[in-house]
């Protein structure tokens, strides 16, 4: 097997993973994220969902939109988290914070985890393809 073929197969495997992650992210957007947002705050999530249907997931503009959506969703998740201090009964200066998610925030956090997985998979494909182009340029 040639090195070129093995690189192509590796890129194909990365791309297949990104497509699978996109399918999961699309389901999470449709079933969890968009219904959890008020209608006036759904535009970005719906735009990202449309781009997933248009097979634009391996473009830098799409990844920027997805990154903005992930950051927006983190703010939404934080709205439903209550943080409490749990004292250490054996150390008067010790203890730890404990975070409690309400039901909405918990489901959004799981959904955003899937968006992050898709973002990472798509970024890996783009980075690998760019690295191959750089190597080709160096060798010529």
């Amino acid at each position: 097997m040639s090195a070129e073929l093995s690189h192509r197969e590796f890129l194909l495997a990365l791309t297949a993973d990104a497509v699978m992650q996109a399918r999961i992210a699309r389901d999470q957007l449709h079933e969890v994220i968009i219904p959890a947002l008020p209608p006036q705050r759904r535009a970005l999530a719906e735009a990202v969902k449309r781009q997933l249907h248009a097979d634009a997931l391996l473009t830098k503009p799409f990844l920027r939109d997805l990154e903005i959506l992930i950051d927006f969703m983190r703010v939404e998740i934080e709205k439903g988290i209550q943080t409490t201090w749990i004292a250490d009964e054996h150390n008067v200066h010790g203890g730890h914070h404990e975070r409690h998610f309400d039901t909405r925030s918990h489901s959004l956090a799981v959904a955003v985890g899937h968006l992050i997985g898709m973002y990472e998979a798509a970024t890996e494909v783009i980075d690998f393809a760019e690295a191959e182009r750089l190597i080709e340029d160096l060798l010529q």
Side-chain angles (χ1 to χ4, degrees):
M1 179 185 314
S2 71
E4 183 177 318
L5 183 60
S6 65
H7 283 192
R8 184 168 172 77
E9 288 173 351
F10 183 69
L11 185 58
L12 178 63
L14 289 178
T15 306
D17 183 50
V19 169
M20 179 199 62
Q21 294 290 339
R23 185 179 317 110
I24 293 168
R26 188 172 37 247
D27 291 345
Q28 293 298 306
L29 282 162
H30 179 71
E31 296 171 8
V32 179
I33 294 173
I34 293 172
L37 295 173
Q40 66 273 20
R41 298 180 60 111
R42 293 179 181 171
L44 181 58
E46 289 172 346
V48 167
K49 184 177 141 194
R50 276 191 306 276
Q51 288 175 312
L52 282 172
H53 285 295
D55 296 328
L57 70 128
L58 297 178
T59 65
K60 289 181 180 182
F62 168 73
L63 290 177
R64 276 193 302 274
D65 289 349
L66 182 59
E67 192 172 14
I68 292 167
L69 176 61
I70 289 168
D71 290 341
F72 171 74
M73 293 311 302
R74 286 180 173 150
V75 171
E76 287 294 311
I77 292 166
E78 286 295 322
K79 292 177 183 177
I81 298 175
Q82 181 182 22
T83 304
T84 57
W85 175 257
I86 306 296
D88 184 347
E89 64 186 61
H90 302 292
N91 180 351
V92 295
H93 299 292
H96 63 278
H97 287 98
E98 198 169 274
R99 299 179 68 162
H100 302 278
F101 290 74
D102 66 15
T103 304
R104 176 181 175 270
S105 288
H106 181 267
S107 62
L108 288 176
V110 171
V112 168
H114 290 294
L115 295 182
I116 292 169
M118 193 215 40
Y119 177 85
E120 291 171 347
T123 301
E124 192 171 12
V125 172
I126 290 171
D127 290 348
F128 185 82
E130 285 182 13
E132 278 208 306
R133 278 192 294 272
L134 288 172
I135 289 171
E136 287 297 317
D137 290 347
L138 286 173
L139 293 177
Q140 289 180 4

